[in-house]
Amino acid sequence: METVKISAADVKKLREATGAGMMDCKKALVEAGGDFDKAIDILRKKGQKIAAKRADRESTEGVAVTRINDAKTEGVAIVLACETDFVGKNESFVALGGQFADIALNCADKEAFLAADFGGMTVADKLVEQTGVIGEKLEITAFEKIEAAYVGSYTHIGKIAALVGLSNAVDKADVLSKDVAMQVASMGATTLSYKDFDAAYVAAETEARIAVIEKDNIELGRLGKTLKNVPQFISMSQLSDEVLAKAQEAAKAELAAEGKPEKIWDRILPGKMERFISDNTTLDMEQCLLDQAFIKDEKKNVAEYVKTYGDVSVSGFKRVTLG
């Protein structure tokens, strides 16, 4: 049986089309009798076999990528995941993530994205093919889209990516949206404002947090250390006018007990009330984007920073991360 001669140009062409190694491409071409399309199919089937073997592996490394359309009104963030940091930092892998993001920008959701065309095959098939090429499980572990009057983004060393939508394309919207996206990436907010919280969730979280602090205080007391403050509340959503009025009366009683002249109370009370609110809104500061201290200037919260740009508000945000 005559052996088919495989030229270096044929191997190079197949490598460019699939990303597979030179030897794998040559073997596939030999097995396919020089038929280019059949060789691609052979490599694809090899990828399917490897993908099946590695299906139960964890893909916690990879790259987070964002793309925004030219009009700055729509953005997408995805995570192309793999098994090891070594592969996740590879230039070809990072470039593949960028190619996927380009396609994802034009897809409504993850399902449509996986079914979208990638050079004659679906994105899902491309993932399987590249699993065979790279030898690690590859998958899209995150897909988020956002639409707004203006969309900005921030990516932190390819590990975390955030998208932010603004209500208006104000002057320097690019700076504002990037700063807020950086806040999202850094602080991991889960919602815009405390007003978005469900009352039952806040009540359950309050009970759980108080229980943790009380347990910690037992150990701290045993060691003779300063006990942690046990908050009555954890969100502004719990601080009704009645609660705030009682807190103010308690602060006045404290000042009276300390012998502070009543004429100077007006100068002291605002600070005490500010401290009371701070101590009793820890959930908001952890999870609510607009209520968090702004990372570039902790003297103001994010909502106050946004106001400095005029007639604009944050309409939404998305965050994706490895792992």
Side-chain angles (χ1 to χ4, degrees), residues 9 15 26 29 50 83 90 110 170 177 183 192 198 207 218 237 273 281-282 284 305 307 310:
R15 176 176 169 75
K26 185 173 181 179
L29 283 165
I50 293 176
E83 297 175 31
N90 180 273
K110 184 177 177 179
V170 293
S177 60
Q183 176 87 24
L192 266 178
D198 176 72
E207 185 178 341
I218 292 174
S237 62
M273 290 305 297
T281 55
T282 54
D284 302 350
Y305 171 66
K307 283 181 182 178

Side-chain angles (χ1 to χ4, degrees), residues 56-168:
D56 61 345
R57 297 293 186 99
E58 289 189 359
S59 48
T60 56
E61 295 294 337
V63 63
V65 193
T66 64
R67 285 291 184 273
I68 297 174
N69 65 356
D70 292 340
K72 306 294 184 185
T73 56
E74 187 175 356
V76 68
I78 67 167
V79 169
L80 172 60
C82 59
E83 297 175 31
T84 66
D85 184 53
F86 177 76
V87 168
K89 291 180 177 178
N90 180 273
E91 287 185 11
S92 296
F93 179 85
V94 173
L96 179 64
Q99 290 176 287
F100 279 140
D102 290 337
I103 296 170
L105 182 59
N106 298 308
C107 299
D109 51 37
K110 184 177 177 179
E111 185 179 0
F113 168 54
L114 292 174
D117 178 71
F118 189 115
M121 67 179 77
T122 66
V123 167
D125 285 340
K126 187 66 177 179
L127 287 167
V128 172
E129 177 201 80
Q130 290 303 299
T131 292
V133 170
I134 295 171
E136 288 192 9
K137 178 182 178 181
L138 303 189
E139 60 181 332
I140 301 297
T141 55
F143 178 103
E144 296 288 353
K145 290 203 76 174
I146 196 168
E147 293 183 29
Y150 190 95
V151 176
S153 69
Y154 173 76
T155 302
H156 182 66
I157 59 173
K159 303 289 187 180
I160 305 171
L163 298 168
V164 166
L166 302 179
S167 63
N168 193 9

Side-chain angles (χ1 to χ4, degrees), residues 7 67 71 94 113 116 124 129 139 162 168 174 182 207 232 234 247-248 260 266-267 288 301 323:
S7 69
R67 285 291 184 273
V94 173
F113 168 54
E129 177 201 80
E139 60 181 332
N168 193 9
D174 56 332
M182 190 181 298
E207 185 178 341
Q232 294 175 270
I234 61 171
Q248 184 161 302
K260 294 285 195 302
D266 287 347
R267 296 201 300 256
C288 304
N301 62 27

Side-chain angles (χ1 to χ4, degrees), residues 6-320:
I6 306 300
S7 69
D10 290 334
V11 174
K12 183 174 182 292
K13 180 182 177 184
L14 184 58
R15 176 176 169 75
E16 290 174 349
T18 64
M22 297 292 279
M23 288 305 298
D24 287 335
C25 289
K26 185 173 181 179
K27 287 177 182 178
L29 283 165
V30 170
E31 185 179 338
D35 187 307
F36 188 79
D37 291 333
K38 189 175 179 181
I40 288 178
D41 190 52
I42 289 169
L43 289 171
R44 194 171 299 164
K45 286 179 180 177
K46 177 188 175 185
Q48 290 171 344
K49 289 180 182 178
I50 293 176
K53 289 179 181 178
R54 305 189 77 82
D56 61 345
R57 297 293 186 99
E58 289 189 359
S59 48
T60 56
E61 295 294 337
V63 63
V65 193
T66 64
R67 285 291 184 273
I68 297 174
N69 65 356
D70 292 340
K72 306 294 184 185
T73 56
E74 187 175 356
V76 68
I78 67 167
V79 169
L80 172 60
C82 59
E83 297 175 31
T84 66
D85 184 53
F86 177 76
V87 168
K89 291 180 177 178
N90 180 273
E91 287 185 11
S92 296
F93 179 85
V94 173
L96 179 64
Q99 290 176 287
F100 279 140
D102 290 337
I103 296 170
L105 182 59
N106 298 308
C107 299
D109 51 37
K110 184 177 177 179
E111 185 179 0
F113 168 54
L114 292 174
D117 178 71
F118 189 115
M121 67 179 77
T122 66
V123 167
D125 285 340
K126 187 66 177 179
L127 287 167
V128 172
E129 177 201 80
Q130 290 303 299
T131 292
V133 170
I134 295 171
E136 288 192 9
K137 178 182 178 181
L138 303 189
E139 60 181 332
I140 301 297
T141 55
F143 178 103
E144 296 288 353
K145 290 203 76 174
I146 196 168
E147 293 183 29
Y150 190 95
V151 176
S153 69
Y154 173 76
T155 302
H156 182 66
I157 59 173
K159 303 289 187 180
I160 305 171
L163 298 168
V164 166
L166 302 179
S167 63
N168 193 9
V170 293
D171 184 39
K172 295 186 179 179
D174 56 332
V175 176
L176 172 59
S177 60
K178 183 178 179 181
D179 279 349
V180 178
M182 190 181 298
Q183 176 87 24
V184 172
S186 175
M187 303 307 293
T190 59
T191 190
L192 266 178
S193 166
Y194 69 87
K195 296 175 183 177
D196 301 327
F197 282 140
D198 176 72
Y201 167 72
V202 175
E205 191 70 16
T206 302
E207 185 178 341
R209 291 184 180 216
I210 288 175
V212 169
I213 293 173
E214 288 178 340
K215 183 179 178 181
D216 289 345
N217 279 346
I218 292 174
E219 181 64 13
L220 290 171
R222 189 183 69 80
L223 297 172
K225 295 184 177 181
T226 303
L227 302 185
K228 295 179 181 178
N229 176 53
V230 180
Q232 294 175 270
F233 312 100
I234 61 171
S235 173
M236 196 68 196
S237 62
Q238 297 170 302
L239 303 187
S240 62
D241 290 342
E242 181 182 357
V243 168
L244 292 173
K246 284 183 179 179
Q248 184 161 302
E249 287 305 312
K252 287 179 179 179
E254 186 180 320
L255 291 175
E258 292 172 356
K260 294 285 195 302
E262 194 168 337
K263 63 183 180 181
I264 67 169
W265 287 7
D266 287 347
R267 296 201 300 256
I268 303 174
L269 280 173
K272 282 188 169 292
M273 290 305 297
E274 187 176 314
R275 176 64 186 273
F276 173 81
I277 292 172
S278 177
D279 287 346
N280 289 279
T281 55
T282 54
L283 181 65
D284 302 350
M285 289 185 278
E286 289 173 15
Q287 297 188 16
C288 304
L289 175 62
L290 298 178
D291 302 307
Q292 290 178 340
F294 180 44
I295 56 174
K296 287 190 171 183
D297 181 1
E298 293 190 353
K299 291 181 180 178
K300 61 182 72 172
N301 62 27
V302 174
E304 291 167 338
Y305 171 66
V306 172
K307 283 181 182 178
T308 64
Y309 284 80
D311 183 23
V312 63
S313 61
V314 178
S315 57
F317 68 91
K318 298 292 182 182
R319 181 180 187 270
V320 300

